[in-house]
Amino acid sequence: MIPQYASALLISDLHLTPSMPLTAQRFFDFCEKEAPKVEAVFILGDLFEYWVGDDAAASSPFQQEVQRAIANLSTKVKTYYLHGNRDFLIGKSFIKKTGMTLLSDPCTVQIASEKWVLAHGDALCTADIAYQAFRSWVRKPWIQKIFLGLPLNWRKGIAQHLRSNSHNQYQTQQRSTSHQVKMDVTQQACADVMKDHSGNRLIHGHTHLPAHHEESMGTQSWQRWVLSDWDLDHPESLPPRASALFIDNAGARYLDLIKS
Ligand code: MN
């Protein structure tokens, strides 16, 4: 059965980490202030900058604090989460402790009498063939089982290595147009997902390109709402940003969490 709500807030790509305290604080405030006003809150992946296993959270005061904030929110409203490309190893234990419900990516929900298809967005970036190959490996249960069986220090080392590699690649490629195309979702992937789910409203994050698009391909047409990433900790290089998509009977609109 498809979950149904009269109102909802959707967020993604907070990339929470102890080294970004202002961003984390805005999330804690969001859990207290904005989030309890709706019926359901959806976190569409990359809540954390990285995740190397639920057992690591037990020894991290920061992850415990995030866990408590979500658990507290879950006593007030229904909370949902789906995996991002950075925190796809979030497991049953953490999900249970936060009181969230895990959704598959993509999935369908009904908010304010409209059907919405929800996704993180990385699986829609089908022009990035190398990433899709990497993704298909790291999402295999047996690979994850081997990784999670490694000592925690090794896992942290591997995560650090992957992050610095992707950071270096980003630094050298971000100015090229071909790279920008590669890092965005493709129309074909969106069309396929909308067809599979018989939907015409898509919400995803991941690309950090928040915007509302009206798109079509052949006889198909759909709305695509892209969620913003959050970053209040690097004002010297990037303007502070944090927003949520708010949906109720009046439709969908972005809620700017910096100004409010
Ligand atoms: Mn992502």
Side-chain angles (χ1 to χ4, degrees), residues 68-97:
R68 277 195 302 275
I70 302 174
N72 184 40
L73 176 61
S74 299
T75 64
K76 302 172 195 166
V77 304
K78 186 73 193 161
T79 54
Y80 290 94
Y81 166 82
L82 63 79
H83 286 130
N85 56 302
R86 291 169 172 276
D87 55 9
F88 62 88
L89 284 173
I90 284 183
K92 284 185 189 134
S93 162
F94 183 77
I95 294 288
K96 193 173 176 211
K97 284 175 184 161

Side-chain angles (χ1 to χ4, degrees), residues 1-215:
M1 225 190 69
I2 298 176
Q4 300 187 14
Y5 300 99
S7 61
L9 279 165
L10 299 98
I11 57 174
S12 74
D13 303 276
L14 283 73
H15 298 279
L16 295 179
T17 164
S19 63
M20 291 170 61
L22 297 175
T23 309
Q25 189 55 53
R26 189 64 188 90
F27 176 64
F28 298 141
D29 292 345
F30 172 81
C31 290
E32 293 282 327
K33 194 180 151 199
E34 290 91 0
K37 292 179 185 166
V38 291
E39 286 189 4
V41 172
F42 294 86
I43 302 173
L44 301 190
D46 287 358
L47 171 64
F48 290 98
E49 172 71 2
Y50 68 99
W51 194 266
V52 293
D54 290 3
D55 57 335
S59 58
S60 158
F62 178 75
Q63 286 168 356
Q64 296 271 317
E65 198 180 354
V66 175
Q67 182 187 303
R68 277 195 302 275
I70 302 174
N72 184 40
L73 176 61
S74 299
T75 64
K76 302 172 195 166
V77 304
K78 186 73 193 161
T79 54
Y80 290 94
Y81 166 82
L82 63 79
H83 286 130
N85 56 302
R86 291 169 172 276
D87 55 9
F88 62 88
L89 284 173
I90 284 183
K92 284 185 189 134
S93 162
F94 183 77
I95 294 288
K96 193 173 176 211
K97 284 175 184 161
T98 56
M100 297 192 290
T101 298
L102 182 66
L103 295 169
S104 53
D105 176 4
C107 67
T108 305
V109 297
Q110 194 172 318
I111 309 166
S113 35
E114 300 286 359
K115 197 166 115 182
W116 300 84
V117 177
L118 312 181
H120 176 59
D122 60 321
L124 302 171
C125 299
T126 49
D128 192 345
I129 293 157
Y131 171 71
Q132 294 304 331
F134 172 77
R135 186 182 194 275
S136 79
W137 276 102
V138 297
R139 297 298 181 102
K140 289 183 200 299
W142 65 273
I143 296 271
Q144 295 189 357
K145 208 174 161 192
I146 291 170
F147 180 80
L148 292 171
L150 296 173
L152 184 52
N153 278 346
W154 292 22
R155 282 180 267 154
K156 282 181 178 166
I158 293 168
Q160 177 62 40
H161 179 71
L162 289 173
R163 276 157 67 223
S164 65
N165 263 2
S166 93
H167 180 74
N168 291 343
Q169 241 179 30
Y170 183 74
Q171 294 290 332
T172 50
Q173 293 180 355
Q174 63 175 330
R175 280 185 196 88
S176 80
T177 318
S178 68
H179 179 69
Q180 281 161 19
V181 169
K182 209 171 84 173
M183 299 305 281
D184 203 354
V185 301
T186 63
Q187 280 226 328
Q188 186 64 60
C190 296
D192 291 346
V193 164
M194 300 321 278
K195 199 174 176 185
D196 286 350
H197 290 262
S198 315
N200 60 3
R201 288 173 166 79
L202 171 64
I203 304 172
H204 70 82
H206 180 67
T207 60
H208 303 184
L209 300 167
H212 168 217
H213 304 271
E214 297 280 346
E215 297 176 328

